[in-house]
Coordinates of all heavy atoms in Angstrom, one line a residue:
M592 N 2.1 -3.7 28.1 CA 2.0 -3.7 26.6 C 3.3 -4.0 26.0 O 4.3 -3.2 26.3 CB 1.4 -2.4 26.2 CG 1.1 -2.4 24.8 SD 0.2 -0.8 24.3 CE 1.6 0.4 24.2
S593 N 3.5 -4.9 25.2 CA 4.7 -5.2 24.5 C 4.7 -4.6 23.1 O 3.8 -4.7 22.4 CB 5.0 -6.7 24.5 OG 4.1 -7.3 23.6
L594 N 5.9 -4.0 22.9 CA 6.0 -3.3 21.6 C 6.9 -4.1 20.6 O 7.8 -4.9 21.0 CB 6.7 -1.9 21.7 CG 5.9 -0.8 22.4 CD1 6.7 0.4 22.6 CD2 4.6 -0.6 21.7
V595 N 6.6 -4.1 19.4 CA 7.4 -4.8 18.4 C 7.9 -3.8 17.4 O 7.4 -2.8 17.2 CB 6.6 -5.9 17.6 CG1 6.3 -7.0 18.5 CG2 5.4 -5.3 16.9
V596 N 9.2 -4.0 16.9 CA 9.7 -3.2 15.8 C 9.4 -3.9 14.5 O 9.7 -5.1 14.3 CB 11.2 -3.0 16.0 CG1 11.8 -2.3 14.8 CG2 11.5 -2.3 17.2
K597 N 8.7 -3.2 13.6 CA 8.2 -3.9 12.4 C 8.4 -2.9 11.2 O 8.2 -1.7 11.3 CB 6.7 -4.1 12.7 CG 6.0 -4.6 11.5 CD 5.3 -5.9 11.8 CE 4.5 -6.4 10.7 NZ 5.2 -7.2 9.7
N598 N 8.8 -3.5 10.2 CA 9.0 -2.8 8.9 C 7.6 -2.8 8.2 O 7.3 -3.8 7.5 CB 10.0 -3.4 8.0 CG 10.1 -2.7 6.6 OD1 9.5 -1.7 6.4 ND2 10.7 -3.4 5.7
I599 N 6.8 -1.8 8.4 CA 5.5 -1.8 7.9 C 5.4 -1.6 6.4 O 4.3 -1.7 5.7 CB 4.4 -0.9 8.6 CG1 4.9 0.6 8.5 CG2 4.3 -1.3 10.0 CD1 3.8 1.6 8.8
M600 N 6.5 -1.2 5.8 CA 6.6 -1.1 4.3 C 6.2 -2.4 3.7 O 5.5 -2.5 2.7 CB 8.0 -0.6 3.9 CG 8.0 -0.4 2.3 SD 6.8 0.9 1.8 CE 7.7 2.4 2.3
E601 N 6.6 -3.5 4.3 CA 6.3 -4.9 3.8 C 4.8 -5.1 3.7 O 4.2 -5.6 2.7 CB 6.9 -6.0 4.7 CG 8.4 -6.1 4.5 CD 8.9 -7.3 5.4 OE1 8.2 -8.2 5.8 OE2 10.2 -7.2 5.7
D602 N 4.1 -4.8 4.8 CA 2.7 -4.9 4.9 C 2.0 -4.0 3.9 O 1.0 -4.4 3.2 CB 2.1 -4.7 6.3 CG 2.6 -5.6 7.3 OD1 3.8 -5.5 7.6 OD2 1.8 -6.5 7.8
M603 N 2.4 -2.7 3.8 CA 1.8 -1.8 2.9 C 2.0 -2.3 1.5 O 1.0 -2.2 0.6 CB 2.4 -0.3 3.1 CG 2.0 0.2 4.4 SD 2.4 1.9 4.6 CE 4.2 2.0 4.6
V604 N 3.1 -2.8 1.1 CA 3.3 -3.2 -0.3 C 2.5 -4.4 -0.6 O 1.9 -4.5 -1.6 CB 4.8 -3.4 -0.6 CG1 5.0 -4.1 -1.9 CG2 5.6 -2.2 -0.5
E605 N 2.4 -5.3 0.4 CA 1.7 -6.6 0.2 C 0.2 -6.2 0.0 O -0.5 -6.8 -0.9 CB 1.9 -7.5 1.4 CG 1.8 -8.9 0.9 CD 2.3 -9.8 2.1 OE1 3.1 -9.4 2.9 OE2 1.9 -11.0 2.0
R606 N -0.3 -5.3 0.8 CA -1.7 -5.0 0.7 C -2.0 -4.3 -0.7 O -3.0 -4.6 -1.3 CB -2.2 -4.0 1.8 CG -2.4 -4.6 3.1 CD -2.3 -3.5 4.2 NE -3.4 -3.8 5.1 CZ -4.2 -2.8 5.6 NH1 -4.1 -1.5 5.2 NH2 -5.1 -3.1 6.5
K607 N -1.1 -3.4 -1.0 CA -1.3 -2.7 -2.3 C -1.2 -3.7 -3.5 O -2.0 -3.5 -4.4 CB -0.3 -1.5 -2.4 CG -0.4 -0.6 -3.5 CD -1.8 0.0 -3.7 CE -1.9 1.2 -2.7 NZ -3.3 1.8 -2.8
L608 N -0.4 -4.5 -3.4 CA -0.2 -5.6 -4.5 C -1.5 -6.3 -4.6 O -1.9 -6.6 -5.7 CB 1.0 -6.5 -4.2 CG 1.2 -7.6 -5.3 CD1 1.4 -6.9 -6.7 CD2 2.5 -8.4 -4.9
D609 N -2.0 -6.8 -3.5 CA -3.3 -7.5 -3.5 C -4.4 -6.7 -4.3 O -5.1 -7.2 -5.1 CB -3.8 -7.9 -2.1 CG -3.0 -9.0 -1.6 OD1 -2.4 -9.8 -2.3 OD2 -3.1 -9.2 -0.3
A610 N -4.5 -5.4 -3.9 CA -5.5 -4.6 -4.5 C -5.2 -4.3 -6.0 O -6.2 -4.2 -6.8 CB -5.5 -3.3 -3.8
M611 N -3.9 -4.2 -6.4 CA -3.6 -3.9 -7.8 C -3.6 -5.2 -8.7 O -3.6 -5.0 -9.9 CB -2.2 -3.2 -7.8 CG -2.2 -1.8 -7.3 SD -0.5 -1.2 -7.2 CE -0.1 -0.9 -9.0
M612 N -3.4 -6.3 -8.1 CA -3.2 -7.5 -8.9 C -4.1 -7.7 -10.1 O -3.7 -8.0 -11.2 CB -3.3 -8.8 -7.9 CG -2.4 -9.9 -8.3 SD -0.6 -9.4 -8.4 CE 0.0 -10.8 -9.3
P613 N -5.4 -7.5 -9.9 CA -6.4 -7.7 -11.0 C -6.1 -6.9 -12.2 O -6.3 -7.3 -13.4 CB -7.8 -7.3 -10.4 CG -7.6 -7.5 -8.9 CD -6.2 -7.2 -8.7
Q614 N -5.6 -5.6 -12.0 CA -5.4 -4.7 -13.1 C -3.9 -4.8 -13.7 O -3.6 -4.1 -14.6 CB -5.9 -3.2 -12.8 CG -5.0 -2.5 -12.0 CD -5.8 -1.9 -10.7 OE1 -6.8 -2.6 -10.3 NE2 -5.5 -0.9 -10.2
L615 N -3.1 -5.5 -13.0 CA -1.7 -5.5 -13.4 C -1.4 -6.4 -14.6 O -0.4 -6.3 -15.3 CB -0.7 -6.0 -12.3 CG -0.4 -5.0 -11.2 CD1 0.3 -5.6 -10.1 CD2 0.3 -3.8 -11.8
D616 N -2.4 -7.3 -14.9 CA -2.2 -8.2 -16.1 C -0.9 -9.0 -16.0 O -0.1 -9.0 -17.0 CB -2.3 -7.4 -17.4 CG -2.3 -8.3 -18.6 OD1 -2.8 -9.4 -18.5 OD2 -1.8 -7.9 -19.6
V617 N -0.7 -9.5 -14.8 CA 0.6 -10.3 -14.7 C 0.3 -11.6 -14.0 O -0.8 -11.7 -13.4 CB 1.6 -9.5 -13.8 CG1 1.2 -9.3 -12.4 CG2 3.1 -10.1 -13.8
C618 N 1.1 -12.6 -14.2 CA 0.9 -14.0 -13.6 C 0.7 -13.9 -12.1 O 1.3 -13.2 -11.5 CB 2.0 -14.8 -14.0 SG 2.0 -16.5 -13.2
N619 N -0.3 -14.6 -11.7 CA -0.8 -14.5 -10.3 C -0.2 -15.6 -9.4 O -0.8 -15.8 -8.3 CB -2.3 -14.5 -10.3 CG -2.9 -13.9 -8.9 OD1 -2.1 -13.4 -8.2 ND2 -4.1 -14.3 -8.8
C620 N 0.8 -16.3 -9.9 CA 1.3 -17.4 -9.1 C 2.2 -17.0 -8.0 O 2.6 -15.8 -7.9 CB 2.0 -18.4 -10.0 SG 3.7 -17.9 -10.4
E621 N 2.5 -17.8 -7.1 CA 3.3 -17.5 -5.8 C 4.6 -17.0 -6.3 O 5.1 -16.0 -5.7 CB 3.5 -18.9 -5.1 CG 4.1 -18.7 -3.8 CD 3.2 -18.1 -2.7 OE1 2.0 -18.3 -2.8 OE2 3.7 -17.4 -1.9
I622 N 5.3 -17.5 -7.3 CA 6.6 -17.1 -7.7 C 6.6 -15.7 -8.2 O 7.4 -14.8 -7.8 CB 7.2 -18.1 -8.8 CG1 7.3 -19.5 -8.2 CG2 8.5 -17.6 -9.3 CD1 7.6 -20.5 -9.3
C623 N 5.7 -15.4 -9.1 CA 5.7 -14.1 -9.7 C 5.3 -13.0 -8.6 O 5.8 -11.9 -8.6 CB 4.7 -14.0 -10.8 SG 5.3 -15.0 -12.2
R624 N 4.3 -13.4 -7.8 CA 3.8 -12.5 -6.7 C 5.0 -12.1 -5.8 O 5.2 -11.0 -5.5 CB 2.7 -13.2 -5.9 CG 1.6 -12.3 -5.5 CD 0.6 -13.0 -4.7 NE 0.9 -12.9 -3.2 CZ 0.4 -11.8 -2.5 NH1 -0.3 -11.0 -3.0 NH2 0.8 -11.7 -1.3
T625 N 5.7 -13.1 -5.4 CA 6.8 -12.9 -4.5 C 7.9 -12.1 -5.1 O 8.6 -11.3 -4.5 CB 7.4 -14.3 -4.0 OG1 6.3 -15.1 -3.5 CG2 8.4 -14.1 -2.9
D626 N 8.2 -12.3 -6.4 CA 9.2 -11.6 -7.1 C 8.8 -10.1 -7.2 O 9.7 -9.3 -7.1 CB 9.4 -12.2 -8.6 CG 10.4 -13.3 -8.6 OD1 11.1 -13.5 -7.6 OD2 10.5 -13.9 -9.7
I627 N 7.5 -9.8 -7.5 CA 7.0 -8.5 -7.5 C 7.3 -7.8 -6.2 O 7.8 -6.7 -6.1 CB 5.6 -8.4 -8.0 CG1 5.4 -8.8 -9.4 CG2 5.1 -7.0 -7.8 CD1 4.0 -9.0 -9.9
L628 N 6.9 -8.4 -5.1 CA 7.0 -7.9 -3.8 C 8.5 -7.6 -3.5 O 8.8 -6.5 -3.0 CB 6.6 -9.0 -2.7 CG 5.2 -9.0 -2.2 CD1 5.0 -10.1 -1.2 CD2 4.9 -7.6 -1.6
C629 N 9.3 -8.5 -3.8 CA 10.8 -8.4 -3.5 C 11.4 -7.2 -4.3 O 12.1 -6.4 -3.7 CB 11.4 -9.7 -3.9 SG 13.1 -9.9 -3.3
Y630 N 11.1 -7.2 -5.6 CA 11.5 -6.1 -6.4 C 11.1 -4.7 -5.8 O 12.0 -3.8 -5.7 CB 11.0 -6.3 -7.8 CG 11.4 -5.2 -8.8 CD1 12.4 -5.5 -9.8 CD2 10.8 -3.9 -8.9 CE1 12.8 -4.6 -10.7 CE2 11.2 -3.0 -9.8 CZ 12.2 -3.3 -10.7 OH 12.5 -2.4 -11.6
A631 N 9.8 -4.6 -5.5 CA 9.3 -3.3 -5.0 C 10.0 -3.0 -3.8 O 10.4 -1.8 -3.5 CB 7.8 -3.4 -5.0
L632 N 10.0 -3.9 -2.8 CA 10.6 -3.7 -1.5 C 12.1 -3.3 -1.6 O 12.5 -2.4 -0.7 CB 10.4 -4.9 -0.6 CG 9.0 -5.0 0.0 CD1 8.8 -6.4 0.7 CD2 8.7 -4.0 1.0
N633 N 12.8 -3.8 -2.5 CA 14.2 -3.4 -2.6 C 14.4 -2.0 -3.1 O 15.4 -1.4 -2.9 CB 14.9 -4.4 -3.6 CG 15.4 -5.6 -3.0 OD1 15.7 -5.7 -1.8 ND2 15.5 -6.7 -3.7
R634 N 13.4 -1.4 -3.7 CA 13.5 -0.1 -4.2 C 12.8 0.9 -3.4 O 12.8 2.1 -3.6 CB 13.0 -0.1 -5.7 CG 14.0 -0.6 -6.6 CD 13.4 -1.0 -7.9 NE 14.5 -1.6 -8.7 CZ 14.9 -2.9 -8.6 NH1 14.4 -3.7 -7.7 NH2 15.8 -3.3 -9.4
L635 N 12.1 0.5 -2.3 CA 11.4 1.4 -1.4 C 12.2 1.4 -0.1 O 12.9 0.4 0.3 CB 10.0 0.9 -1.1 CG 9.0 1.0 -2.3 CD1 7.9 0.1 -2.1 CD2 8.5 2.5 -2.4
K636 N 12.2 2.6 0.6 CA 12.8 2.7 1.8 C 12.1 1.9 2.9 O 10.8 2.1 3.0 CB 13.0 4.2 2.3 CG 14.3 4.7 1.8 CD 14.3 6.2 2.0 CE 14.6 6.5 3.6 NZ 14.6 8.0 3.8
P637 N 12.7 1.1 3.7 CA 11.9 0.5 4.8 C 11.3 1.6 5.7 O 11.8 2.6 5.9 CB 13.0 -0.3 5.6 CG 14.3 0.2 5.1 CD 14.1 0.8 3.8
K638 N 10.2 1.2 6.4 CA 9.6 2.1 7.3 C 9.3 1.4 8.6 O 8.4 0.6 8.7 CB 8.2 2.6 6.7 CG 7.5 3.5 7.6 CD 8.1 4.8 7.8 CE 7.4 5.7 8.9 NZ 8.2 6.8 9.2
Y639 N 10.2 1.6 9.5 CA 10.1 0.8 10.8 C 9.3 1.6 11.8 O 9.4 2.9 11.9 CB 11.5 0.6 11.4 CG 12.2 -0.5 10.6 CD1 13.2 -0.1 9.7 CD2 12.0 -1.8 10.9 CE1 13.8 -1.1 9.0 CE2 12.6 -2.8 10.1 CZ 13.6 -2.5 9.2 OH 14.2 -3.4 8.5
V640 N 8.4 0.9 12.4 CA 7.7 1.6 13.5 C 7.8 0.7 14.8 O 7.9 -0.5 14.7 CB 6.1 1.7 13.2 CG1 5.9 2.8 12.1 CG2 5.5 0.4 12.8
A641 N 7.7 1.3 15.9 CA 7.7 0.6 17.2 C 6.2 0.6 17.6 O 5.7 1.7 17.9 CB 8.5 1.2 18.2
T642 N 5.6 -0.5 17.6 CA 4.1 -0.5 17.9 C 3.7 -1.8 18.6 O 4.4 -2.8 18.6 CB 3.4 -0.3 16.5 OG1 2.0 -0.3 16.7 CG2 3.7 -1.5 15.6
S643 N 2.5 -1.7 19.2 CA 1.9 -2.9 19.7 C 1.2 -3.7 18.6 O 0.8 -3.0 17.7 CB 1.0 -2.6 20.9 OG -0.1 -1.9 20.4
Q644 N 1.0 -4.9 18.8 CA 0.4 -5.7 17.8 C -1.0 -5.1 17.4 O -1.4 -5.0 16.2 CB 0.2 -7.2 18.2 CG 0.1 -8.2 17.1 CD 1.3 -8.2 16.2 OE1 1.1 -7.8 15.0 NE2 2.4 -8.6 16.6
G645 N -1.7 -4.7 18.4 CA -3.1 -4.2 18.2 C -3.1 -2.8 17.4 O -4.1 -2.5 16.8
E646 N -2.0 -2.0 17.5 CA -2.0 -0.8 16.9 C -1.4 -0.9 15.4 O -1.5 0.1 14.7 CB -1.1 0.2 17.6 CG -1.8 0.9 18.8 CD -0.8 1.8 19.5 OE1 0.4 1.7 19.3 OE2 -1.3 2.6 20.4
L647 N -1.0 -2.0 15.0 CA -0.3 -2.2 13.8 C -1.2 -1.8 12.6 O -0.8 -1.0 11.7 CB 0.1 -3.7 13.6 CG 1.2 -4.0 12.6 CD1 2.4 -3.1 12.8 CD2 1.5 -5.5 12.6
L648 N -2.5 -2.3 12.6 CA -3.3 -2.0 11.4 C -3.6 -0.5 11.3 O -3.6 0.0 10.2 CB -4.6 -2.8 11.5 CG -4.5 -4.3 11.1 CD1 -5.8 -4.9 11.2 CD2 -4.0 -4.3 9.6
S649 N -3.8 0.1 12.5 CA -4.2 1.6 12.3 C -2.9 2.4 11.9 O -3.0 3.4 11.2 CB -4.8 2.1 13.6 OG -3.8 2.1 14.7
K650 N -1.7 1.9 12.4 CA -0.5 2.5 11.8 C -0.3 2.4 10.3 O 0.0 3.4 9.6 CB 0.8 1.8 12.5 CG 1.1 2.5 13.8 CD 2.3 3.3 13.7 CE 2.6 4.3 14.8 NZ 2.6 3.7 16.2
I651 N -0.6 1.2 9.8 CA -0.5 1.0 8.4 C -1.5 1.9 7.7 O -1.2 2.5 6.7 CB -0.8 -0.5 8.1 CG1 0.4 -1.4 8.6 CG2 -0.9 -0.7 6.6 CD1 0.1 -2.8 8.6
D652 N -2.8 1.9 8.2 CA -3.8 2.7 7.6 C -3.4 4.2 7.5 O -3.5 4.9 6.5 CB -5.1 2.6 8.3 CG -5.8 1.3 7.8 OD1 -5.5 0.8 6.8 OD2 -6.8 0.9 8.6
S653 N -2.9 4.7 8.6 CA -2.6 6.2 8.7 C -1.4 6.5 7.8 O -1.2 7.6 7.4 CB -2.4 6.6 10.1 OG -1.3 6.0 10.7
L654 N -0.4 5.5 7.6 CA 0.7 5.9 6.9 C 0.7 5.6 5.4 O 1.4 6.1 4.6 CB 2.0 5.2 7.5 CG 2.5 5.8 8.8 CD1 3.5 4.8 9.4 CD2 3.2 7.1 8.5
S655 N -0.2 4.7 5.1 CA -0.1 4.2 3.7 C -0.5 5.3 2.7 O 0.1 5.2 1.5 CB -1.1 3.0 3.4 OG -2.4 3.2 3.9
S656 N -1.3 6.2 3.0 CA -1.6 7.3 2.0 C -0.3 8.1 1.7 O -0.1 8.6 0.6 CB -2.7 8.2 2.5 OG -2.4 8.8 3.7
T657 N 0.5 8.3 2.7 CA 1.8 9.0 2.5 C 2.7 8.3 1.5 O 3.4 8.9 0.7 CB 2.6 9.1 3.8 OG1 1.7 9.4 4.9 CG2 3.8 10.0 3.7
F658 N 2.7 7.0 1.4 CA 3.6 6.2 0.6 C 2.9 5.6 -0.6 O 3.6 5.0 -1.4 CB 4.2 5.1 1.4 CG 5.1 5.6 2.6 CD1 4.5 5.6 3.9 CD2 6.3 6.0 2.4 CE1 5.3 6.1 4.9 CE2 7.1 6.5 3.4 CZ 6.6 6.6 4.7
D659 N 1.6 5.9 -0.7 CA 0.9 5.3 -1.8 C 1.5 5.5 -3.2 O 1.6 4.4 -3.9 CB -0.5 5.9 -1.9 CG -1.6 4.9 -1.7 OD1 -1.3 3.8 -1.1 OD2 -2.8 5.1 -2.1
I660 N 1.9 6.7 -3.6 CA 2.4 6.9 -4.9 C 3.7 6.2 -5.1 O 3.9 5.5 -6.2 CB 2.5 8.5 -5.2 CG1 1.1 9.0 -5.2 CG2 3.3 8.7 -6.5 CD1 1.1 10.6 -5.2
A661 N 4.6 6.3 -4.2 CA 5.9 5.5 -4.3 C 5.7 4.0 -4.5 O 6.3 3.3 -5.3 CB 6.7 5.8 -3.1
I662 N 4.7 3.4 -3.7 CA 4.5 2.0 -3.7 C 3.8 1.6 -5.0 O 4.3 0.6 -5.6 CB 3.6 1.6 -2.5 CG1 4.3 1.9 -1.2 CG2 3.1 0.2 -2.7 CD1 3.4 1.6 0.1
I663 N 2.8 2.4 -5.5 CA 2.2 2.0 -6.7 C 3.2 2.1 -7.9 O 3.2 1.2 -8.7 CB 1.0 3.1 -7.0 CG1 -0.1 2.8 -6.0 CG2 0.5 2.9 -8.5 CD1 -1.2 3.8 -6.0
T664 N 4.1 3.1 -7.9 CA 5.1 3.3 -8.9 C 6.0 2.0 -8.9 O 6.3 1.4 -10.0 CB 6.0 4.5 -8.7 OG1 5.2 5.6 -8.6 CG2 7.0 4.7 -9.8
Q665 N 6.5 1.6 -7.7 CA 7.4 0.5 -7.7 C 6.7 -0.9 -8.1 O 7.3 -1.7 -8.7 CB 8.1 0.3 -6.3 CG 9.0 1.5 -6.0 CD 10.1 1.7 -7.1 OE1 10.5 0.7 -7.8 NE2 10.6 2.9 -7.3
I666 N 5.5 -1.0 -7.6 CA 4.7 -2.3 -8.0 C 4.5 -2.3 -9.5 O 4.7 -3.4 -10.1 CB 3.4 -2.3 -7.2 CG1 3.7 -2.6 -5.7 CG2 2.5 -3.5 -7.8 CD1 2.4 -2.7 -4.8
S667 N 4.2 -1.2 -10.1 CA 3.9 -1.2 -11.5 C 5.3 -1.5 -12.3 O 5.2 -2.4 -13.2 CB 3.5 0.2 -12.0 OG 2.4 0.5 -11.3
A668 N 6.3 -1.0 -11.8 CA 7.6 -1.3 -12.5 C 8.0 -2.7 -12.3 O 8.5 -3.4 -13.2 CB 8.8 -0.4 -11.9
A669 N 7.8 -3.2 -11.1 CA 8.1 -4.6 -10.8 C 7.2 -5.6 -11.6 O 7.7 -6.6 -12.2 CB 7.8 -4.9 -9.3
A670 N 6.0 -5.3 -11.8 CA 5.1 -6.1 -12.7 C 5.6 -6.2 -14.1 O 5.6 -7.2 -14.7 CB 3.7 -5.6 -12.6
Q671 N 6.0 -5.1 -14.6 CA 6.6 -5.0 -16.0 C 7.8 -6.0 -16.1 O 7.9 -6.7 -17.0 CB 7.1 -3.6 -16.3 CG 6.0 -2.6 -16.6 CD 5.1 -3.1 -17.7 OE1 5.5 -3.7 -18.7 NE2 3.8 -2.8 -17.5
V672 N 8.7 -5.9 -15.1 CA 9.9 -6.8 -15.2 C 9.5 -8.2 -15.1 O 10.0 -9.0 -15.9 CB 10.9 -6.3 -14.0 CG1 12.0 -7.3 -13.9 CG2 11.4 -4.9 -14.2
V673 N 8.6 -8.5 -14.1 CA 8.3 -9.9 -14.0 C 7.5 -10.4 -15.2 O 7.6 -11.6 -15.6 CB 7.4 -10.1 -12.7 CG1 6.8 -11.5 -12.6 CG2 8.3 -9.8 -11.5
K674 N 6.7 -9.6 -15.8 CA 6.0 -9.9 -17.0 C 6.9 -10.3 -18.1 O 6.8 -11.2 -18.9 CB 5.0 -8.9 -17.4 CG 3.7 -9.3 -18.0 CD 2.9 -8.1 -18.7 CE 2.4 -7.2 -17.6 NZ 1.5 -6.2 -18.2
E675 N 8.0 -9.4 -18.3 CA 9.0 -9.7 -19.3 C 9.9 -10.8 -19.1 O 10.3 -11.5 -20.0 CB 9.7 -8.3 -19.5 CG 9.4 -7.6 -20.7 CD 10.2 -6.3 -20.8 OE1 11.4 -6.4 -21.3 OE2 9.7 -5.2 -20.4
F676 N 10.3 -11.0 -17.8 CA 11.2 -12.1 -17.5 C 10.7 -12.9 -16.4 O 11.2 -12.9 -15.2 CB 12.6 -11.4 -17.0 CG 13.1 -10.5 -18.0 CD1 13.1 -9.1 -17.8 CD2 13.8 -11.0 -19.1 CE1 13.6 -8.2 -18.7 CE2 14.4 -10.1 -20.1 CZ 14.2 -8.7 -19.8
P677 N 9.6 -13.7 -16.6 CA 9.1 -14.5 -15.6 C 10.1 -15.6 -15.2 O 10.9 -16.0 -16.1 CB 7.8 -15.1 -16.2 CG 8.0 -15.0 -17.6 CD 8.9 -13.8 -17.9
R678 N 10.1 -16.1 -14.0 CA 11.1 -17.0 -13.6 C 10.7 -18.4 -13.9 O 11.4 -19.4 -13.7 CB 11.2 -16.9 -12.1 CG 12.6 -17.0 -11.6 CD 12.6 -17.4 -10.1 NE 12.5 -16.2 -9.3 CZ 12.9 -16.2 -8.0 NH1 13.4 -17.2 -7.5 NH2 12.7 -15.1 -7.3
H679 N 9.5 -18.6 -14.6 CA 9.1 -19.9 -15.0 C 8.5 -19.7 -16.4 O 8.3 -18.6 -16.9 CB 8.0 -20.4 -14.1 CG 6.9 -19.5 -13.9 ND1 5.9 -19.4 -14.8 CD2 6.5 -18.6 -12.9 CE1 5.0 -18.5 -14.5 NE2 5.4 -18.0 -13.3
N680 N 8.1 -20.8 -17.1 CA 7.5 -20.7 -18.4 C 6.0 -20.6 -18.3 O 5.4 -21.0 -17.3 CB 7.8 -22.0 -19.2 CG 9.3 -21.9 -19.6 OD1 9.8 -20.9 -20.0 ND2 10.0 -23.0 -19.4
Ligands
LIG1320 ZN1 3.9 -16.9 -12.4

């Protein structure tokens, strides 16, 4: 079994952003989405796990409730910033 080292914070933020997108009232284009991800990830601590590819999803599931509030807070803040200062017109 081969293990990979992975920052699952990236996956958790991405999943949460997908779920929150409809109620964020922010532009849904690739640029804005990526900006929100980047902003949120820069303000959250990375969470590295050593896991096999097969266990990755259950790791994310079991840990995401622990980080839910922090992730939601940062995504909301990021959406505000991107809404105010979109990188495009
Ligand atoms: Zn946009």
Side-chain angles (χ1 to χ4, degrees):
M592 188 175 74
S593 68
L594 292 177
V595 291
V596 175
K597 175 127 175 87
N598 175 14
I599 61 165
M600 187 55 83
E601 287 182 22
D602 296 71
M603 292 193 290
V604 172
E605 213 167 335
R606 284 165 138 225
K607 186 55 82 181
L608 179 58
D609 283 342
M611 287 174 71
M612 213 58 194
Q614 74 237 28
L615 281 175
D616 185 32
V617 68
C618 172
N619 196 14
C620 79
E621 187 74 31
I622 298 170
C623 294
R624 216 183 97 87
T625 312
D626 272 352
I627 293 172
L628 267 182
C629 194
Y630 179 104
L632 282 170
N633 275 330
R634 283 160 182 80
L635 289 159
K636 269 172 74 180
K638 177 68 188 169
Y639 287 98
V640 294
T642 182
S643 66
Q644 204 58 249
E646 275 177 349
L647 196 55
L648 279 181
S649 64
K650 271 261 164 49
I651 291 170
D652 278 341
S653 65
L654 282 170
S655 53
S656 59
T657 312
F658 296 100
D659 239 22
I660 292 170
I662 292 172
I663 290 170
T664 305
Q665 290 307 332
I666 289 178
S667 305
Q671 285 305 322
V672 172
V673 169
K674 216 190 294 188
E675 254 178 84
F676 307 102
R678 219 197 277 203
H679 58 76
N680 291 317

